[in-house]
Amino acid sequence: MTHAIIRSLKSAAAAMVLAGAICGAPALAQDLKIAMSAEPSSVDPHYHNLTPNNQLAKHVFESLTEHDELQRIKPALAESWKVIDDLTWEFKLRANVRFHDGSPFTADDVIFSFNRVPNVPKSPAPKTSYTRGKTIEKIDDLTIRIRTPAPEALMLKHLAQIDIMSAKAAASVTTEDINAGKGAVGTGPYKFVEFVPGDRYVVARNDAYWGEKEPWAKVSYRFIKSDPTRVAAVLAGDVDVIETVPTADAQRLAKEPKLALASALSNRVIYLHLDRLRAESPFIKGKDGATIKNPLNDLKVRQALSKAINRPAIVDRIMEGEAVPASQLVPDSYAGTSKNLKPVAYDVDGAKRLLAEAGLPNGFQLTIHGPNGRYTNDTKLIEAVAQMFTRIGVDTKVETLPPSVFFSRASSGGPDKTPEFSMILAGWSAGTGEPGDSLKALLGSFDPKAGSGSANRGRYSNAEVDKLLAQGLSTVDDDKRADLLARATEIAINDVGIIPIHYQKNTWAAKKGLKVIPRTDEYTFAMSVRTQ
Amino acid sequence: MSGAAAAQRESGEFGRFAARFMEDRVALIGLAMLVVIVLAALLAPWIAPQNPYDLARVDIMDSRQPPGAKAGEGFVMWLGSDGVGRDLWSGILYGLRISLAVGVLSGVLAATIGMALGLLAAYAGGRTETLIMRVVDLQLSMPSVLLALILVALLGKGVDKIIVALVAVQWAYYARTVRGSALVERRKEYVEAALSLGLSHARTVFRHILPNCLAPVIVIATVQTAHAISLEATLSFLGVGLPQTEPSLGVLISNGFQYMLSGKYWISFFPGVALLLTIVAINLVGDRLRDVLNPRLER
């Protein structure tokens, strides 16, 4: 009898444990584990303008405006705004927003953050281009005015890049303090828990968030740079979501029943930059090895090279469908792009004809330089381009370098800090979600003082492009600005200032039952992951 | 002694040596593999269906084809193709050329430098010896991959730079071995005899001591050649070795690594097998050489 009771008690206990395990499952599902493909250099939001840093910062910090998943501007800490005149903007700040330490968010925090950005010590890539020239005036606790010396068309885009820190909590903290958790106080949907450089970043839900509360109690990010390891981690269930699914695996993972894939066309263009600075280019020789006049200064040669590239083949064979042939600097779904430009069609005979017309019927010798491991399949891409150039008679060699070495030499490795190479492959992501910034950086005449041509490693310079660009960037009216920028793009691209190849697609893989809202800016946010 | 007789004696010695070598079946198989591999590498331009270094012949439309698929140019790619459309069979043949050339050249250079310094240390003694041998100790205390990695990162890419790096990590092995045997030889009577006949130091060292130290060097050389080949592959796999457009076996393996999980095993697998066979063949031959040349194992 007693035995029977004990036995039944035992089985009841077992049943309870089992039930507990089943009930426990949804509770566990509140934790989210995400694997990132790149590592942040810090979690200080003002320290380094780097994709992984910005991505992680947006969980804890917010800015006055924010980008939605298609990089359109939406209000965030600023509730509304109006343009008072071309040089003055007025922002109404959101009321009843509290920092994670409970203190209220006011205009003083905005002013503090804008003053902190240019004063972060040892910043490798500061965000000063977004704060430069802006003077902020406090009208009352929840109203500010921002004045600029010239009309600033990209005001709202720039404000989205500056995360607001608490003036009280972050008053005298250093980047190292923030990495250790001191002063990492924002208004965002998640609170800072822990940052272990090289390993993980952990945040917890902010239950006092002003907006919609997040479904995840705890989110941990792991940094897994190796592609196969990251894929293996999501397949094994060690993580729930991975970013940057390698192109080699995308097709196979799409068939995997345990996973769901999401992808979005990114704002990153992969392009070739051509040396337009020199009369004789260091990595271009005649077929016989003799020094020749820089052929890239001839429009016909540039057109020939663009026609020699079989973009659909690159997308299909190298990118395995995870890209789209490019016609300009940002995909033409964005405002300010040209609808007249189409990807240049593959035409070997036409390319050879153009080379002959340019007086180079036999072609020439060229070396293309590029990074190994910065962009998806970059090395293979350069090899494919080299194959295609070789077919029109331009004997092409490939040299790839570690990204940090490549970028410093490509920007200033030559004599007098000039760009070192004759032709490079690189990528550019339009962080602002419009073509103005990209045009200014890649195709604006090189002028560090004016902040123009900061990534113009070919030193392309066209007075008309510069003029339209300057007009566009100081036109606050959206339609007029879009028209001016589209015209500038058309001129520069028809003049083959760069040779666009493709726009990357970003792909995420998530455990079945989770849904990732794909973003064009490549960011992987816990805020974009939802249960289905 | 007439020249013919000397030749006969030498061929007799070699014959005995060869006969002893052949006694081991496994070593014989290793030697046969090595001969085939070296021949394949030497004849690559004639037996490979494609010149994988000629970008005009490599087509990305042929990329990632499975073994047995037909290339755009019509030939059959028996081992499939890699991510940029290179025929893997051709790639392996040409890759073997680079891998073997790098291994042998760096081995010969390292042996020359190492032997010269080892002999100098043993013969000169004193401070010279201390200096050379401390450098050797220092060198041997560093992991060779790490040292080579640093050197290649400083020097840049290219076959010549890889060879410099490999020589730098290998010479110490030769120096230490040669010094060891030279120290023993130096005290022997024939050296005293040579010196008392008034022969110069250089002649004594190179004509009398050196030949008697060669046996262990030959053994070290085979082992080190295999080591150099795998070290080159390691460096190339890590992306600091040889250029992408002229792949060695290591570059081919590294190119296929990202496809391992997606089921396209052949891109890494076949170059890996080629590398494995090459190193096993060299090591089998080296093992047997050690047995044959070791006087202590003499029957």
Side-chain angles (χ1 to χ4, degrees):
Chain A
M1 182 66 204
T2 46
H3 277 290
I5 291 170
I6 290 173
R7 213 180 300 135
S8 64
L9 273 176
K10 266 186 184 165
S11 58
M16 272 162 71
V17 168
L18 230 126
I22 294 166
C23 293
L28 281 176
Q30 290 219 326
D31 285 1
L32 182 68
K33 286 181 241 132
I34 300 178
M36 286 169 62
S37 59
E39 209 176 290
S41 56
S42 165
V43 291
D44 178 346
H46 300 156
Y47 173 67
H48 190 178
N49 193 6
L50 192 75
T51 302
N53 290 26
N54 297 344
Q55 166 179 328
L56 291 182
K58 285 289 178 211
H59 292 77
V60 175
F61 303 98
E62 292 176 295
S63 38
L64 294 180
T65 59
E66 295 282 1
H67 281 133
D68 69 3
E69 65 274 12
L70 297 173
Q71 280 185 284
R72 293 170 305 207
I73 287 291
K74 60 176 187 185
L77 288 179
E79 214 166 27
S80 63
W81 48 84
K82 59 176 185 249
V83 181
I84 296 189
D85 58 54
D86 266 5
L87 302 177
T88 317
W89 294 63
E90 188 175 285
F91 292 84
K92 274 269 169 242
L93 303 182
R94 199 172 289 277
N96 300 322
V97 174
R98 288 187 177 275
F99 281 101
H100 298 156
D101 63 358
S103 57
F105 159 72
T106 66
D108 295 327
D109 300 305
V110 179
I111 294 170
F112 166 77
S113 300
F114 273 75
N115 288 337
R116 186 174 183 270
V117 167
N119 295 314
V120 179
K122 287 181 284 182
S123 166
K127 297 185 173 180
T128 41
S129 60
Y130 307 118
T131 56
R132 186 179 293 143
K134 298 187 179 70
T135 36
I136 307 183
E137 187 192 343
K138 176 177 170 181
I139 306 296
D140 60 48
D141 264 1
L142 291 176
T143 315
I144 56 165
R145 278 192 184 169
I146 303 183
R147 284 180 224 285
T148 54
E152 180 51 86
L154 301 180
M155 173 67 81
L156 299 174
K157 299 283 189 182
H158 287 175
L159 294 185
Q161 311 291 332
I162 304 298
D163 289 317
I164 304 301
M165 300 181 80
S166 157
K168 194 175 116 233
S172 58
V173 298
T174 61
T175 299
E176 289 76 20
D177 289 339
I178 295 171
N179 288 342
K182 191 170 168 251
V185 174
T187 57
Y190 288 97
K191 291 193 237 184
F192 177 95
V193 175
E194 181 189 27
F195 173 55
V196 182
D199 185 41
R200 64 183 182 275
Y201 178 61
V202 184
V203 291
R205 177 171 54 214
N206 172 15
D207 287 314
Y209 186 54
W210 58 268
E212 199 187 322
K213 307 266 183 308
E214 284 295 301
W216 313 112
K218 194 178 110 189
V219 181
S220 29
Y221 275 94
R222 283 175 57 195
F223 316 126
I224 308 181
K225 281 190 262 185
S226 155
D227 285 344
T229 316
R230 202 166 55 251
V231 171
V234 73
L235 280 173
D238 288 347
V239 295
D240 302 314
V241 175
I242 61 167
E243 62 177 17
T244 329
V245 172
T247 56
D249 297 315
Q251 284 171 8
R252 189 181 63 103
L253 293 184
K255 294 189 205 112
E256 183 69 47
K258 282 190 289 189
L259 300 177
L261 260 60
S263 71
L265 185 59
S266 110
N267 54 28
R268 190 184 293 283
V269 65
I270 301 294
Y271 62 94
L272 297 168
H273 229 141
L274 322 173
D275 179 10
R276 299 297 305 282
L277 177 69
R278 287 167 279 234
E280 283 162 4
S281 201
F283 293 93
I284 294 179
K285 295 274 178 293
K287 269 283 167 74
D288 50 0
T291 308
I292 56 168
K293 220 170 61 189
N294 180 3
L296 301 177
N297 282 330
D298 187 329
L299 175 62
K300 284 191 170 141
V301 174
R302 301 200 298 274
Q303 286 171 333
L305 293 174
S306 190
K307 273 180 198 280
I309 296 175
N310 187 348
R311 291 173 179 80
I314 285 182
V315 166
D316 180 45
R317 304 308 307 173
I318 303 288
M319 300 301 289
E320 306 195 40
E322 298 291 310
V324 170
S327 60
Q328 50 195 306
L329 295 132
V330 286
D332 59 11
S333 53
Y334 286 89
T337 51
S338 162
K339 312 293 176 237
N340 303 326
L341 293 171
K342 296 280 166 272
V344 174
Y346 176 51
D347 178 5
V348 172
D349 294 331
K352 283 184 181 159
R353 208 160 42 239
L354 280 166
L355 273 186
E357 283 172 28
L360 290 159
N362 298 320
F364 50 91
Q365 291 182 23
L366 166 72
T367 303
I368 308 182
H369 289 81
N372 53 20
R374 174 66 188 88
Y375 309 110
T376 310
N377 298 331
D378 42 16
T379 318
K380 279 191 278 176
L381 264 171
I382 306 173
E383 263 195 89
V385 169
Q387 283 178 17
M388 291 163 181
F389 283 176
T390 305
R391 284 195 164 69
I392 63 162
V394 178
D395 287 349
T396 308
K397 285 201 198 65
V398 171
E399 195 170 327
T400 57
L401 300 159
S404 55
V405 179
F406 167 75
F407 285 108
S408 76
R409 284 175 63 184
S411 305
S412 59
D416 299 327
K417 301 248 168 218
T418 54
E420 180 177 343
F421 304 127
S422 293
M423 184 183 283
I424 59 163
L425 178 130
W428 188 263
S429 147
T432 49
E434 52 76 57
D437 241 21
S438 306
L439 271 170
K440 190 172 175 185
L442 296 179
L443 292 165
S445 296
F446 181 69
D447 183 354
K449 273 197 204 105
S452 159
S454 59
N456 187 348
R457 302 186 180 100
R459 296 291 189 266
Y460 175 80
S461 175
N462 183 324
E464 208 175 339
V465 173
D466 287 342
K467 201 180 93 200
L468 285 169
L469 190 55
Q471 269 178 26
L473 291 178
S474 58
T475 304
V476 176
D477 181 291
D478 285 342
D479 292 337
K480 274 193 210 144
R481 179 173 73 244
D483 180 56
L484 286 162
L485 293 180
R487 273 163 58 202
T489 305
E490 272 172 35
I491 294 170
I493 293 294
N494 287 331
D495 198 20
V496 203
I498 60 163
I499 299 179
I501 299 177
H502 63 245
Y503 309 118
Q504 285 186 0
K505 267 190 204 168
N506 294 320
T507 307
W508 289 264
K511 229 192 243 175
K512 203 81 185 178
L514 295 180
K515 190 176 73 179
V516 178
I517 302 158
R519 294 183 63 95
T520 57
D521 54 13
E522 306 186 351
Y523 290 156
T524 308
F525 289 155
M527 294 79 88
S528 310
V529 183
R530 292 291 174 259
T531 42
Q532 266 172 339
Chain B
M1 203 194 295
S2 75
Q8 200 181 2
R9 198 199 64 185
E10 293 223 328
S11 83
E13 247 176 45
F14 181 76
R16 231 179 309 138
F17 166 76
R20 282 205 58 203
F21 187 90
M22 305 283 190
E23 278 169 22
D24 186 5
R25 277 278 175 74
V26 181
L28 209 57
I29 295 172
L31 185 66
M33 270 164 56
L34 192 60
V35 169
V36 171
I37 288 170
V38 169
L39 277 180
L42 287 176
L43 299 177
W46 293 277
I47 50 180
Q50 180 192 55
N51 177 356
Y53 302 162
D54 182 359
L55 287 177
R57 301 256 338 255
V58 180
D59 191 342
I60 59 163
M61 298 317 282
D62 293 336
S63 63
R64 306 189 315 272
Q65 296 298 314
K70 234 174 172 190
E73 288 192 3
F75 62 87
V76 178
M77 303 189 285
W78 291 112
L79 302 183
S81 63
D82 73 0
V84 290
R86 213 179 276 118
D87 172 37
L88 272 178
W89 168 236
S90 310
I92 288 171
L93 290 175
Y94 275 80
L96 270 177
R97 274 164 89 89
I98 296 192
S99 294
L100 286 175
V102 166
V104 171
L105 253 175
S106 69
V108 169
L109 280 174
T112 313
I113 296 171
M115 283 195 297
L117 288 171
L119 283 172
L120 180 66
Y123 196 77
R127 276 197 186 172
T128 320
E129 182 177 22
T130 314
L131 182 72
I132 293 176
M133 294 326 289
R134 287 304 81 77
V135 174
V136 166
D137 288 344
L138 194 70
Q139 161 93 70
L140 292 179
S141 66
M142 291 264 281
S144 50
V145 175
L146 188 67
L147 187 63
L149 206 61
I150 295 169
L151 279 173
V152 174
L154 287 176
L155 296 169
K157 278 187 176 184
V159 175
D160 46 342
K161 282 128 190 161
I162 280 271
I163 290 178
V164 170
L166 290 180
V167 169
V169 299
Q170 288 189 87
W171 69 271
Y173 293 94
Y174 293 96
R176 197 160 73 166
T177 312
V178 169
R179 171 183 166 266
S181 19
L183 272 182
V184 177
E185 296 298 323
R186 186 172 146 56
R187 299 204 180 84
K188 289 200 174 154
E189 291 85 352
Y190 73 91
V191 176
E192 240 168 77
L195 287 173
S196 60
L197 278 176
L199 296 186
S200 71
H201 289 302
R203 193 175 163 84
T204 314
V205 169
F206 289 112
R207 290 301 301 264
H208 294 268
I209 297 182
L210 179 61
N212 287 301
C213 302
L214 273 183
V217 169
I218 292 172
V219 175
I220 294 269
T222 47
V223 175
Q224 283 299 319
T225 305
H227 184 219
I229 291 175
S230 71
L231 198 55
E232 177 273 315
T234 309
L235 293 175
S236 297
F237 182 82
L238 295 174
V240 294
L242 294 167
Q244 284 290 327
T245 41
E246 293 184 7
S248 68
L249 292 177
V251 176
L252 288 176
I253 295 171
S254 142
N255 283 346
F257 183 60
Q258 60 163 302
Y259 294 107
M260 285 307 268
L261 273 180
S262 58
K264 299 183 179 72
Y265 67 92
W266 60 88
I267 306 179
S268 274
F269 180 73
F270 290 122
V273 168
L275 181 67
L276 181 81
L277 289 180
T278 310
I279 292 176
V280 166
I282 296 177
N283 278 341
L284 285 178
V285 171
D287 256 14
R288 186 62 192 154
L289 279 179
R290 194 191 59 204
D291 293 348
V292 174
L293 292 174
N294 190 341
R296 285 195 204 107
L297 296 177
E298 193 98 52
R299 285 160 301 182

